[in-house]
Amino acid sequence: MISLYPLLILLFIILSTTTNSAHGYETHYYDFNITRERYNADCSGYMGEKLMVNQQLPGPTISVAIGDRVKVLVRNLLSSNNDTSFRQDSSVGGRSNDITIHYHGIRQYGTPEYDGVPYISQDPIRPGESFLYDFRVHDQSGTYFYHAHVSSHDESVFGPFIVYESERADPDKVQLQQNGTLLRKLSAGPYEYDDERTIILSEWWHETAEEMTSYLLAPGFHGIPDAPSILLNGRTINDPTYPQGPDCRGYSVISVDPDKTYRIRVIGATAFRTLGFAIAQHDLTVIEVDGTMLQPYDVPFLEISAGQRFSVLLKPIFRHHRKRQKDYSITTERRYAEGVDPFSNGMGILRYTSSAQQLEQQDYQHVHNESQDKKEVQNSVKVYQTPRDKFKFPDIIPHWYWSDLTPVNDVSVVARQEPDRTLIFYTGNEKLEGKAERWHINDVIFEDPKETIMTSILSGKRQEPNYQQLVTTSGFDPYLNTYPLKFKETVDIVIQTTHGYGDTCRSHPWHTHGHSFWEIAYGPGKYDEKKDGNLRNIPHPFLRDVTLVDPVLDPKLEKEAKPGDVIPCGWTKIRLYADNPGVWAIHCHNTMHMIMGMMTALEIAPEMLLSEKRVGTY
């Protein structure tokens, strides 16, 4: 399918950046055309239709600096024909051909209507319609990404979103030498490095988003199927013994110079599994998580849940060595894969070569361009085998190395003080009539609102919260169907995982919109306010926007359980400072669980959205 707007795309490329001379900030324009494509991402021969941005997988990279303004024009070029509707008792976010884009980790200070969550921040973008996201990136830098927030289209609609803290961190602002290398080192926080690379992890199912979503909500649901393939930068080989299709692109190759240090940005754009990530014979020095700079900490592998991002420093092991070229396997593994083979075919290659930049640019040409005859692959680097020497992942230890990580800056005083109140999210799943399954928070299955909440607030029609009454209750407002918070309230949220008798306790990656949080404590079994209320077993809390609630059983509770019991099996406590008025989703970032109801919204000081006190506006 050829784009209907080639001239407009060219115009947006030409005008990709303009400068605001008054403040030195820039305005960046991006043009996202949403279409359906058939693409053999994993060399399996599967060619089901998937939504994509500009016919690319991953989508184009958004690259800005702190303070910059971002304008993303999203055009929904899908047809209204064959536009599937789904069951109403769910949080799918619209019909099958609807779309919204969420800028994951970007806090949207002053612009909650551009957060990209259907029926919370905006109406879905219907077929034939367009929507302009217009926001400024305030006081945050680091590694982020964007993705679809309707149905399970985030499987194929996603791309990197990089925020540089200054021009010294931005490779595009540094002059190139004749040999293609940067004229000077890049610097971010206390770190200097020669260049950077991006690896984005995702999953690839051999069924469409419509088929997956219909199955999740139907009475015949019997568990979430693992994706047949894990992709690195949009590619892998499903079965290395039998790669299929002339458009098979092979494995992703990340090329680096043996004499240089690289910042590797690793983005977990998965929709389901937590993945281990490793490079054979290399330690990874963690320096950033979810936009927070950390003191250097060496780990043998990363554990990346859906929505999480890392930056690591990679120091090639053949520095100043006579052996100038060698390949190393990049491998992944499914973690917390109860009853499932943890093996992952998500592999790639780290290649030491003196022509690093040219090869890497070829590799990250984002995939697939329908305007080429017969979907010609835009990549000259095709590799169909990985080195035999692969990292062996250790057994799972709950909480990975999280308690060992320390922020570069001092721990915020907010993370150390007493909260104004504590909310407990008791989460679990239940069977409905007809054997359909849903997930809930405090027995409430989230369903898409009849009217978009932000629209209702900005029109003056929505009732304001009764904060005084909510302080003495669970915090949930059954009329508003949200958890209202006062402006600048400090709130602890305990996320309690449970499982049914005879069922497996599952891990859940939780994500907050509009705010980052501090994880301050975690524990096994059931959270007890008297016993655990003052527990602080994370020595150096730092701001993040995704945390994995590990499944950690309490042997006593498991032994005493009887058929029909719901058994607590692990909890995490996060602290949030409610300084950003708006309505913000908080949900399990396992997309399937979210669709099935494991989601709610924090409604923060909505009365300020109609007043002159609104923060972060232009």
Side-chain angles (χ1 to χ4, degrees):
M1 175 180 176
I2 299 176
S3 172
L4 300 180
Y5 297 94
L7 294 179
L8 285 173
I9 293 174
L10 179 62
L11 179 63
F12 268 81
I13 293 173
I14 294 172
L15 299 177
S16 62
T17 301
T18 60
T19 302
N20 181 331
S21 58
H23 302 286
Y25 299 133
E26 295 181 349
T27 299
H28 303 261
Y29 298 86
Y30 294 90
D31 194 56
F32 284 5
N33 291 317
I34 307 299
T35 56
R36 286 190 180 275
E37 308 297 336
R38 295 183 181 274
Y39 175 53
N40 185 19
D42 63 351
C43 301
S44 66
Y46 172 77
M47 298 288 285
E49 289 190 339
K50 308 276 189 176
L51 268 57
M52 292 187 189
V53 179
N54 297 354
Q55 303 168 332
Q56 299 174 13
L57 182 76
T61 297
I62 295 177
S63 175
V64 305
I66 293 177
D68 284 355
R69 189 170 179 175
V70 183
K71 293 189 176 185
V72 182
L73 179 61
V74 177
R75 293 190 186 88
N76 186 340
L77 302 183
L78 304 175
S79 170
S80 57
N81 297 328
N82 302 317
D83 190 11
T84 305
S85 60
F86 301 104
R87 289 180 55 148
Q88 298 300 306
D89 58 342
S90 65
S91 49
V92 175
R95 299 170 66 90
S96 62
N97 286 358
D98 292 345
I99 195 71
T100 63
I101 302 294
H102 170 57
Y103 305 89
H104 183 109
I106 303 299
R107 298 181 194 127
Q108 298 289 355
Y109 278 112
T111 50
E113 62 270 39
Y114 296 129
D115 190 46
V117 182
Y119 299 113
I120 291 182
S121 57
Q122 70 172 97
D123 292 344
I125 308 169
R126 309 290 186 188
E129 296 180 349
S130 62
F131 185 86
L132 179 66
Y133 294 92
D134 184 357
F135 56 90
R136 194 177 295 280
V137 180
H138 291 279
D139 300 324
Q140 60 182 128
S141 62
T143 308
Y144 307 91
F145 73 116
Y146 62 84
H147 61 81
H149 220 287
V150 175
S151 184
S152 56
H153 292 311
D154 57 343
E155 174 198 3
S156 55
V157 175
F158 62 87
F161 191 133
I162 309 301
V163 183
Y164 294 107
E165 64 178 52
S166 71
E167 289 190 353
R168 293 190 60 81
D170 186 349
D172 292 336
K173 303 292 186 183
V174 179
Q175 185 177 355
L176 294 177
Q177 300 183 83
Q178 288 186 347
N179 63 359
T181 61
L182 297 177
L183 189 62
R184 59 170 172 78
K185 289 181 180 291
L186 301 173
S187 64
Y191 302 106
E192 285 194 340
Y193 41 92
D194 296 288
D195 209 342
E196 64 177 45
R197 300 287 185 262
T198 298
I199 299 175
I200 190 162
L201 309 176
S202 63
E203 290 155 305
W204 190 254
W205 277 270
H206 292 174
E207 53 192 326
T208 65
E210 292 76 22
E211 292 167 342
M212 172 65 79
T213 301
S214 296
Y215 161 73
L216 294 173
L217 302 177
F221 174 80
H222 54 273
I224 301 171
D226 269 277
S229 292
I230 305 296
L231 308 183
L232 277 68
N233 289 349
R235 63 167 81 175
T236 195
I237 298 179
N238 177 264
D239 181 358
T241 65
Y242 186 47
Q244 299 184 49
D247 51 354
C248 170
R249 302 175 64 244
Y251 291 110
S252 182
V253 177
I254 307 298
S255 296
V256 297
D257 190 298
D259 293 322
K260 298 184 184 299
T261 296
Y262 290 81
R263 178 178 183 168
I264 310 293
R265 300 178 187 267
V266 186
I267 299 172
T270 52
F272 180 31
R273 283 293 180 197
T274 292
L275 297 177
F277 172 91
I279 302 176
Q281 299 186 34
H282 290 73
D283 279 340
L284 305 173
T285 303
V286 178
I287 62 168
E288 179 222 347
V289 169
D290 292 1
T292 295
M293 295 301 287
L294 303 177
Q295 295 182 21
Y297 190 83
D298 290 346
V299 299
F301 71 101
L302 301 179
E303 194 168 271
I304 308 175
S305 295
Q308 285 182 326
R309 294 90 59 208
F310 288 81
S311 282
V312 299
L313 291 182
L314 183 78
K315 300 176 181 179
I317 59 178
F318 279 112
R319 183 185 297 271
H320 306 306
H321 194 278
R322 63 180 178 82
K323 193 167 186 176
R324 309 301 294 171
Q325 182 163 330
K326 183 175 174 64
D327 288 352
Y328 294 89
S329 289
I330 302 173
T331 52
T332 60
E333 180 188 72
R334 293 179 173 89
R335 309 289 282 177
Y336 299 99
E338 303 84 359
V340 175
D341 184 353
F343 170 80
S344 163
N345 59 16
M347 291 182 277
I349 293 169
L350 178 76
R351 171 166 293 171
Y352 285 176
T353 174
S354 59
S355 56
Q357 185 170 10
Q358 293 87 339
L359 283 175
E360 201 279 335
Q361 287 176 344
Q362 290 174 352
D363 176 69
Y364 202 63
Q365 276 290 329
H366 288 306
V367 229
H368 158 73
N369 188 328
E370 281 277 328
S371 64
Q372 301 290 317
D373 291 340
K374 298 182 180 179
K375 306 184 184 69
E376 179 181 306
V377 172
Q378 295 193 31
N379 194 326
S380 60
V381 180
K382 291 188 178 183
V383 178
Y384 298 97
Q385 291 184 335
T386 58
R388 293 182 179 180
D389 185 15
K390 294 177 173 59
F391 179 80
K392 181 175 175 56
F393 289 93
D395 293 338
I396 291 173
I397 299 176
H399 216 249
W400 187 62
Y401 296 95
W402 291 110
S403 295
D404 299 325
L405 302 181
T406 303
V408 166
N409 298 322
D410 292 338
V411 175
S412 169
V413 65
V414 178
R416 300 298 194 194
Q417 67 189 21
E418 290 299 309
D420 293 308
R421 57 188 168 124
T422 299
L423 304 176
I424 298 179
F425 287 2
Y426 212 80
T427 69
N429 59 322
E430 62 182 88
K431 293 288 187 181
L432 305 181
E433 292 185 12
K435 296 186 178 180
E437 186 169 315
R438 295 292 182 272
W439 288 81
H440 57 75
I441 300 171
N442 292 337
D443 295 322
V444 177
I445 301 168
F446 188 84
E447 299 179 7
D448 292 329
K450 303 299 182 186
E451 180 181 13
T452 295
I453 298 176
M454 279 299 301
T455 301
S456 179
I457 291 173
L458 296 177
S459 67
K461 295 189 299 183
R462 188 169 173 84
Q463 176 180 309
E464 291 188 3
N466 184 339
Y467 297 111
Q468 194 63 37
Q469 178 182 352
L470 294 169
V471 170
T472 61
T473 66
S474 68
F476 181 73
D477 188 320
Y479 177 80
L480 298 175
N481 202 33
T482 62
Y483 286 82
L485 306 180
K486 291 185 290 187
F487 185 55
K488 293 191 174 180
E489 188 175 9
T490 299
V491 178
D492 285 354
I493 301 175
V494 177
I495 304 171
Q496 174 71 68
T497 296
T498 67
H499 72 97
Y501 182 87
D503 293 336
T504 301
C505 183
R506 305 291 180 186
S507 60
H508 298 282
W510 281 83
H511 173 53
T512 53
H513 290 229
H515 298 76
S516 295
F517 56 79
W518 297 269
E519 183 183 16
I520 59 176
Y522 63 95
K526 182 178 181 179
Y527 175 82
D528 183 322
E529 179 64 29
K530 289 184 179 180
K531 178 171 64 75
D532 302 317
N534 294 321
L535 177 65
R536 300 290 182 269
N537 54 357
I538 298 178
H540 309 286
F542 59 90
L543 281 173
R544 322 160 44 178
D545 56 70
V546 176
T547 186
L548 183 71
V549 182
D550 295 278
V552 185
L553 307 182
D554 180 331
K556 184 174 183 294
L557 293 178
E558 298 295 323
K559 184 177 180 180
E560 295 174 349
K562 302 181 296 296
D565 284 353
V566 175
I567 310 161
C569 57
W571 57 270
T572 289
K573 179 184 280 188
I574 64 174
R575 174 161 295 174
L576 183 144
Y577 182 58
D579 63 346
N580 191 8
V583 186
W584 306 105
I586 174 171
H587 60 87
C588 177
H589 214 278
N590 176 326
T591 299
M592 293 71 179
H593 288 168
M594 183 191 72
I595 288 172
M596 298 166 76
M598 205 172 191
M599 174 174 172
T600 189
L602 305 178
E603 188 165 352
I604 299 175
E607 66 279 1
M608 293 181 63
L609 298 176
L610 296 174
S611 74
E612 295 180 358
K613 298 179 181 179
R614 186 169 179 178
V615 299
T617 53
Y618 304 132

